[in-house]
Amino acid sequence: PVHTPLLEVQDLSVAYGKIEALTGVSLTLGAGEIVTVIGPNGAGKSTLLGALMGVLPATRGRIRLEGREMDPAAADVGDRVSRGVGLVPETRALFASMNVEDNLRLGAFRFRQEPASRHARSLDEVYELFPRLKERRGQMAAALSGGERQMLALGRALMGRPRLLMLDEPSLGLAPLIVRDIFRIIVQLRRQGVSILLVEQNARAALEVADRAYVLELGRVVMQGPAAQLAGDPRIVEAYLGLQ
Ligand code: ATP
């Protein structure tokens, strides 16, 4: 049977003024897959997610979601959101002076027409995934620990019921135990039917949970393959796994 990937990116380029940050990047993500993009600082990983989310316009290339074209040149976040694309940005981008629950509710903005009972069910699902957030639901986001903030950012994205969830460095700045929790949740989300594009500098953790991986260096895909295969590749071991 002909199988249309959930996400197809072809020859995507993005520039900041005269500086090209992404050059001819192609990748695919099948429904139910966890795909990771690893690479060093400044490789263009956040830029890639920005272009996919419609935060940054692309200068060239195609983006298709379930075979339907999205206009890469038009930075249109609303279009992506309405089509089930969600992003947890590296900065987490929480509303510091709003409480946990209100931050979560904002994630369901696109469903604002739906009845309160539906919102309550979504909240329950997020609280089931992150009991810690339930305990702290009345706290200001500013008062949360780093790990709790990451959980809140993830929870808020889930309130938008994404089919494609993009995570930008979810492990950044977190203690190893918390990183393990976050990655466990990522695997659990996939079991629930969410497809995941995971950008990470923590190559070891990312390659452990991913099905396939792309290595991005200086804005270009330099390697790709099954995650297990890349994790055993001497070049990857030396460049990305050796010191972790
Ligand atoms: P990091 O893990 O450090 O976030 P990254 O792989 O996500 O790195 P990007 O943030 O996408 O990399 O940056 C890719 C390149 O684009 C870098 O050279 C960066 O300096 C440049 N860049 C990123 N944002 C801007 C911007 N707003 N204006 C100009 N250049 C930018």
Side-chain angles (χ1 to χ4, degrees), residues 207-231:
L207 291 174
E208 262 171 35
V209 298
D211 301 300
R212 290 186 304 112
Y214 293 83
V215 182
L216 200 61
E217 287 177 4
L218 294 172
R220 295 171 194 271
V221 173
V222 296
M223 282 180 85
Q224 64 185 76
Q229 185 183 318
L230 288 199

Side-chain angles (χ1 to χ4, degrees), residues 14 16 23 45 88 96 104 114 168 198 207-208 211 234-235 243:
V14 178
Y16 298 101
T23 305
K45 305 182 299 296
V88 181
L104 288 175
E114 293 186 354
D168 196 353
L198 170 67
L207 291 174
E208 262 171 35
D211 301 300
R235 286 167 293 177
L243 292 174

Side-chain angles (χ1 to χ4, degrees), residues 91-239:
T91 59
R92 282 50 152 170
L94 301 171
F95 294 90
S97 58
M98 285 171 61
N99 71 27
V100 166
E101 191 150 304
D102 287 342
N103 267 281
L104 288 175
R105 284 181 187 284
L106 275 179
F109 184 72
R110 75 178 178 116
F111 302 118
R112 59 196 174 281
Q113 314 288 10
E114 293 186 354
S117 58
R118 183 65 188 81
H119 290 273
R121 179 146 64 90
S122 293
L123 270 177
D124 281 347
E125 285 166 10
V126 169
Y127 286 147
E128 202 173 307
L129 219 46
F130 302 108
R132 188 91 186 118
L133 292 182
K134 187 172 189 180
E135 287 164 24
R136 314 211 66 185
R137 63 179 180 267
Q139 295 261 359
M140 298 281 202
L144 300 179
S145 71
E148 290 163 349
R149 282 178 202 195
Q150 183 58 57
M151 290 174 199
L152 181 52
L154 242 170
R156 186 182 52 187
L158 293 175
M159 291 292 290
R161 288 175 238 154
R163 315 195 37 234
L164 170 60
L165 180 62
M166 305 194 294
L167 304 168
D168 196 353
E169 308 243 7
S171 76
L172 192 74
L174 303 182
L177 275 180
I178 312 283
V179 171
R180 215 179 56 187
D181 281 349
I182 297 284
F183 278 83
R184 206 172 50 215
I185 298 283
I186 291 171
V187 172
Q188 192 171 338
L189 289 174
R190 185 257 291 275
R191 279 202 297 270
Q192 294 175 8
V194 186
S195 307
I196 293 166
L197 185 60
L198 170 67
V199 156
E200 263 297 345
Q201 275 195 63
N202 185 340
R204 185 180 299 281
L207 291 174
E208 262 171 35
V209 298
D211 301 300
R212 290 186 304 112
Y214 293 83
V215 182
L216 200 61
E217 287 177 4
L218 294 172
R220 295 171 194 271
V221 173
V222 296
M223 282 180 85
Q224 64 185 76
Q229 185 183 318
L230 288 199
D233 187 295
R235 286 167 293 177
I236 298 293
V237 172
E238 187 186 355

